[in-house]
Structure formats: C-alpha cells, structure tokens
Amino acid sequence: MTRLERRYRRFLLAYPAGYRTVHGDELIDILLDTAEPGRQTPEIREALGLLMGGLRTRVEHAAAGPAWRDGLHLGVAALTVANLAALLPFVTAIPMWTALSALTVLAVLRGWVRLALPLLLLTGAKATAIAAGVPLFDHVLMPITSDPRSVDGLFATTGPQVVALSYALAFAGSLVLAAGAHPLKARSWWWLTVAPALCAGPALMDESAFPVGVVRAVTELGLLAAAVCAARMARDPRWGVAALVYLLSVTVAIAEHGPYLTVRHLAYWALLALPAVTAVLVAREHRRTALR
C-alpha cells in the first residue's frame, strides 16, 4: 500500500463503516487512477470532498425511520444528558444518585427506554426533593464537606417545579417511545462527552439568576448548529424535533427567573431558539421544494 493510498483511507474514515465496506475500495481505485503521478498526499480539494461526502453520508444514514420518533429519542437523550450534567459537580456528595443518572443516560442512548423509565422516576424524585429541601430515600441533603460545591449548592437557583418538569419531559418522551413497536437505534457514545461540557468552564452570566457557563453555551450552540446542518443535508426534521424538545426545557428554566433576567439571558435564549426553529423550517422548506 502506497503512502497516498494510506492517506486516502484515513480520509475515508469520515464515511460510515458499512459504506466503506461496500464502496471503499472502489473509491480508492478511482482516486488513485485520477491522482497525478508521484503525488504523495491528497489534494486539498479531494480531502475536503471526502470529509464532506462522509459527513453527508453519515447524516443520510442517520435519517432512517420515522422522523418524529427518532427526533423525540434524540431530544430525550439531550434532556437526560443535561440532567446528569447538573449532578456531575456534586458527584462526591451524591455518588449513588449521580451513578443512577449516568445509568439513565446510558439506557436512553442504547435505546432501552423501558429500563430508563423507572430510573427517571427515581432520579427525578430525588432531584426534585433536593431542589425542595426535602429528604427522600436518604437523608443526604447538606453533607459536611470542605468542597464548596456540595449538595447545598445543587439547584440553588432552580425551583423544584423546574427540576420536576425537566425529568417529567424526559419521562413522558420515554413513555411515548416505549409504546412503539419497533426498537430504537443506539446513539453515539460521543453523547457521553456532552455532560461534562455542560457543567464545565467559568460562568457566562450572573449565578444569582439563571446560571450559564461559557462551555455550556458554546456546546449547546455547536450542537444546535450541527442540527441545522444535518436537517439541511438530509431534508429531514428529526434534528429540529430534538432541538425543540431541549429548547422547551431551557425555556421553562429561564422563565422561572422572569424579573431577574438580564439582556444576556434573553440573548442566550434567542441564540438557542434561532437554530432550533431553523432546523425545523429548513427541513420543511426543502421537503416542499422536493415535492414541487
């Protein structure tokens, strides 16, 4: 195998494994036949073409099955990841409940929503109790610890109603998914990296109102921008459905702080709402154009 072929094959990793198995050798042969004699590295145009082609193929493969159901599954996955992110900074104080929340995320990602239902009930009830300052299942509410991020700071600026609603949305979505006859497809393991990102980094806005971290805001905007791109490539609304499910949860959490919100909070909400709505409208517009 020549150096050029090895480098072409590295770029082919952008394509799904099944696609590479069926078409990989054919693509390599075409690329090698059209390459200039003596070339050791792919042209920039070819490299970008392979990367974009791989991304488009992955998106098209992901747009399989009923769009609303798959989009709801993605939205539930985002909600459970966000719920886990709220607990992660306090893992040393409530390790069992953080572990159960992580297990909930794993169950949703693998498509085991029937297993996720009781886990959502347990973790949701405990999280709501902590937000309300009521002991439930155990008496660990404010443990004595030198860590400034102990449980007494968990949900410090969030009311129990908002916490309960976030888990209720995830539970209701999982219940609808569990009623379906067909199994859900497994989600990417990359979702596990989102939870730490949502709770990392310095604060972007005043924590006395609705706290938002810089890394969280960048992560959310990046994922929503990816949803818009995927919706446009596949002409499919499932990513828009997922974005709207997540946006609903964030909207309720922000609305709770009504009079204490700043222009930054409203701008943050608008930056999330714009790509979420765009992901739906882009797919809808492309579908209308295709039907003409």
Side-chain angles (χ1 to χ4, degrees):
M1 183 184 297
T2 64
R3 180 182 299 179
L4 180 60
E5 182 177 350
R6 283 197 301 270
R7 291 178 176 176
Y8 275 137
R9 290 193 180 277
R10 287 174 189 167
F11 282 107
L12 281 183
L13 292 176
Y15 288 81
Y19 186 92
R20 294 198 307 270
T21 301
V22 177
H23 303 287
D25 290 338
E26 180 182 355
L27 280 174
I28 291 294
D29 289 340
I30 294 174
L31 290 168
L32 291 176
D33 288 342
T34 57
E36 296 178 1
R39 175 171 285 277
Q40 298 296 313
T41 58
E43 295 181 5
I44 295 178
R45 176 178 54 82
E46 290 178 329
L48 291 176
L50 289 172
L51 292 175
M52 290 303 299
L55 178 61
R56 183 180 296 276
T57 303
R58 285 184 181 273
V59 168
E60 290 173 349
H61 282 200
W68 73 267
R69 192 165 186 260
D70 195 49
L72 180 59
H73 185 203
L74 275 172
V76 170
L79 289 178
T80 55
V81 166
N83 291 336
L84 172 61
L87 302 183
L88 277 181
F90 311 94
V91 62
T92 56
I94 46 173
M96 183 183 74
W97 295 105
T98 306
L100 285 176
S101 183
L103 183 60
T104 305
V105 173
L106 178 62
V108 171
L109 291 181
R110 304 315 295 169
W112 307 330
V113 286
R114 289 182 175 85
L115 172 61
L117 288 172
L119 292 172
L120 282 167
L121 282 177
L122 282 172
T123 55
K126 181 59 179 178
T128 303
I130 292 176
V134 177
L136 182 66
F137 302 128
D138 56 37
H139 296 282
V140 180
L141 265 182
M142 297 174 66
I144 300 173
T145 174
S146 59
D147 186 352
R149 297 184 301 178
S150 57
V151 175
D152 58 330
L154 179 58
F155 305 128
T157 61
T158 304
Q161 298 87 352
V162 173
V163 176
L165 181 60
S166 177
Y167 281 89
L169 283 173
F171 181 85
S174 298
L175 194 62
V176 172
L177 294 171
H182 301 288
L184 296 166
K185 61 185 178 185
R187 297 295 166 189
S188 170
W189 293 107
W190 285 105
W191 275 100
L192 296 177
T193 66
V194 175
L198 292 180
C199 62
L204 179 65
M205 286 175 275
D206 186 4
E207 292 187 2
S208 63
F210 179 73
V212 178
V214 174
V215 179
R216 170 181 171 173
V218 171
T219 301
E220 289 173 330
L221 290 173
L223 289 174
L224 289 171
V228 174
C229 293
R232 189 177 187 281
M233 284 182 178
R235 300 188 174 116
D236 190 281
R238 71 190 66 221
W239 291 279
V241 171
L244 291 179
V245 170
Y246 183 76
L247 179 65
L248 176 60
S249 177
V250 174
T251 301
V252 172
I254 291 180
E256 180 194 26
H257 299 88
Y260 305 101
L261 297 178
T262 65
V263 174
R264 282 188 179 184
H265 290 96
L266 299 178
Y268 163 75
W269 180 86
L271 285 174
L272 295 186
L274 180 61
V277 174
T278 301
V280 175
L281 296 180
V282 164
R284 185 178 179 183
E285 184 62 28
H286 275 277
R287 182 163 293 185
R288 282 181 176 178
T289 303
L291 292 175
R292 287 176 184 173

